[in-house]
Amino acid sequence: MLKTAEKKTTAKVASLFGGFLSGALTWIPFFNSKALNETMGIKDYDFPQATLGEKFCLNFKHKWFFLLGAILGGFFFFLMPISYLDENYKQIINIGLVALAFGFSIIEFYRLFKGNKNNIWLTLIGVFIAIGISFWIYTISIGMIDFSNITGYISIFFLMFISVMLLTFCGVSLGTLFFLSNAYLQISNFMSNITRFIGFKDNIVMILVAFIAVFAGYIFGFILKYQTPKNNQHLSSGMRLGFFLSGIIILLSFEFKQPFFTDITTDLAQLFMIIVIPVGLFFIAIALTIKEFKMVKNGISNLIVVSLCQPLSLYETLTSGLLSAMNKPTCGDLSKTNEH
């Protein structure tokens, strides 16, 4: 049996703060949450001998501090003055998002051409699926949402469910679909009051709908990820690439309009911001993915497979814990699969 020691309190606190950071940044459109999580050492674990339900329980047990922090981070992200930024810096933000998406696209292109040639078709399927979803969401343009009626509930459930499912499966940020649906500013204005606990009771139904969508999306995303673990990495890589490419195309084709600023008057200040923000976001994307280039080159997967000495019962599985970098197993083999 695989036995592990309990995580220390400092590790739990670090996991909570890491989740908070991940949850907050996942509201940035075209952000690669998967790359951030892996940079922080958050891995996906698989037990080949366990059932899908046991795998879910095991991952949840190992990562629940991180998941709690992610929910809190996603909730309190909207304390930021998003309406002010959108009103005064909309176009420079769009330029920055293009640079961010382009920076994250590089590793996916590298993975496409350096990976197993037999799986290129699966990656390309993921690209076309993501492009199709992106342009469909952009075309229907949910836009204005009434948060007090059934239509608004359905819209939020739909967007949140699909976004969380994609986040869980391939690491595409929550903000991506909300941005493409033209509902990003609407949801941010709504949540800016909720995070300050203004009108919280009046909108309790909408909040419950959002939480149900988050839970359901996580379940379905987990099923997609672990139902076919040998193929999902190629499909998820293609989907990330498809969303990044869609974002670049849509932003460059339809979203750029003058002026770039309404709150900065000098030409020098505008030029400085136009250069610094996109360059900064581009290098953030490169910094978060740079270690993946070596991993792809060496054929190392990011999915950690734990092989147990013998099959465990559900009770034993749930009480055994997971192997982490801070824990030492007494029996079992922790190895990284060569999927790429």
Side-chain angles (χ1 to χ4, degrees):
M1 179 189 299
L2 179 66
K3 295 181 180 179
T4 60
E6 284 291 324
K7 278 187 176 182
K8 295 181 179 179
T9 301
T10 52
K12 293 179 179 179
V13 173
S15 182
L16 185 69
F17 276 99
F20 189 93
L21 177 64
S22 178
L25 294 181
T26 194
W27 278 107
I28 298 176
F30 311 110
F31 188 81
N32 189 341
S33 295
K34 175 180 177 292
L36 174 65
N37 294 346
E38 290 176 352
T39 299
M40 295 190 297
I42 305 300
K43 302 291 185 178
D44 296 320
Y45 294 85
D46 186 23
F47 284 69
Q49 300 172 347
T51 66
L52 188 62
E54 290 169 344
K55 292 176 183 180
F56 177 84
C57 293
L58 287 162
N59 274 274
F60 185 81
K61 179 182 179 181
H62 184 74
K63 294 168 30 176
W64 78 271
F65 270 96
F66 178 84
L67 295 173
L68 176 61
I71 292 174
L72 294 174
F75 182 78
F76 287 107
F77 169 80
F78 295 99
L79 290 174
M80 292 182 59
I82 296 175
S83 294
Y84 171 80
L85 295 174
D86 181 80
E87 180 180 353
N88 294 287
Y89 304 94
K90 185 177 180 64
Q91 300 311 316
I92 190 59
I93 290 175
N94 287 339
I95 296 174
L97 292 178
V98 169
L100 188 69
F102 179 70
F104 282 126
S105 297
I106 295 175
I107 180 59
E108 307 304 340
F109 275 115
Y110 184 78
R111 183 178 281 113
L112 176 64
F113 292 107
K114 283 291 184 179
N116 189 332
K117 304 304 181 183
N118 295 327
N119 294 307
I120 287 180
W121 64 271
L122 192 58
T123 303
L124 293 177
I125 288 176
V127 171
F128 287 117
I129 289 175
I131 291 176
I133 293 174
S134 297
F135 279 89
W136 176 58
I137 293 292
Y138 186 76
T139 301
I140 63 176
S141 186
I142 293 175
M144 298 299 293
I145 299 174
D146 187 342
F147 295 96
S148 61
N149 61 30
I150 188 64
T151 303
Y153 300 155
I154 294 173
S155 297
I156 290 299
F157 182 88
F158 168 75
L159 283 175
M160 189 64 74
F161 172 77
I162 300 298
S163 296
V164 174
M165 183 174 66
L166 291 173
L167 172 65
T168 306
F169 177 66
C170 61
V172 174
S173 65
L174 293 178
T176 299
L177 289 191
F178 279 89
F179 181 86
L180 292 173
S181 68
N182 198 32
Y184 192 89
L185 185 60
Q186 187 80 0
I187 191 67
S188 66
N189 289 336
F190 172 78
M191 287 300 298
S192 66
N193 290 326
I194 300 300
T195 53
R196 294 173 174 84
F197 299 98
I198 300 173
F200 192 91
K201 292 182 179 180
D202 297 333
N203 294 284
I204 192 67
V205 175
M206 178 62 77
I207 295 170
L208 289 175
V209 167
F211 270 102
I212 292 172
V214 168
F215 182 75
Y218 181 75
I219 294 291
F220 276 83
F222 187 91
I223 292 173
L224 288 175
K225 176 183 287 188
Y226 284 91
Q227 195 67 25
T228 56
K230 291 184 178 180
N231 296 323
N232 70 43
Q233 295 196 38
H234 307 288
L235 185 62
S236 63
S237 175
M239 292 185 69
R240 287 192 297 273
L241 179 58
F243 279 112
F244 297 148
L245 292 179
S246 298
I248 294 172
I249 294 170
I250 289 172
L251 285 167
L252 291 177
S253 301
F254 308 113
E255 296 296 325
F256 283 148
K257 300 174 184 178
Q258 292 284 356
F260 290 112
F261 299 95
T262 59
D263 197 37
I264 297 180
T265 55
T266 67
D267 293 337
L268 181 61
Q270 290 192 28
L271 179 62
F272 178 78
M273 295 294 288
I274 290 173
I275 294 174
V276 168
I277 291 179
V279 170
L281 289 175
F282 173 79
F283 280 106
I284 287 174
I286 296 299
L288 290 176
T289 57
I290 192 166
K291 70 174 185 178
E292 292 191 49
F293 287 93
K294 182 178 180 180
M295 295 171 66
V296 173
K297 181 180 179 180
N298 295 335
I300 301 175
S301 169
N302 295 317
L303 181 65
I304 294 182
V305 178
V306 181
S307 300
L308 306 182
C309 293
Q310 59 183 2
L312 301 180
S313 66
L314 177 60
Y315 173 78
E316 291 173 325
T317 300
L318 293 177
T319 56
S320 66
L322 294 169
L323 183 63
S324 68
M326 301 183 64
N327 299 327
K328 296 181 179 180
T330 58
C331 178
D333 171 55
L334 181 66
S335 61
K336 292 188 176 182
T337 58
N338 296 324
E339 301 284 352
H340 293 288

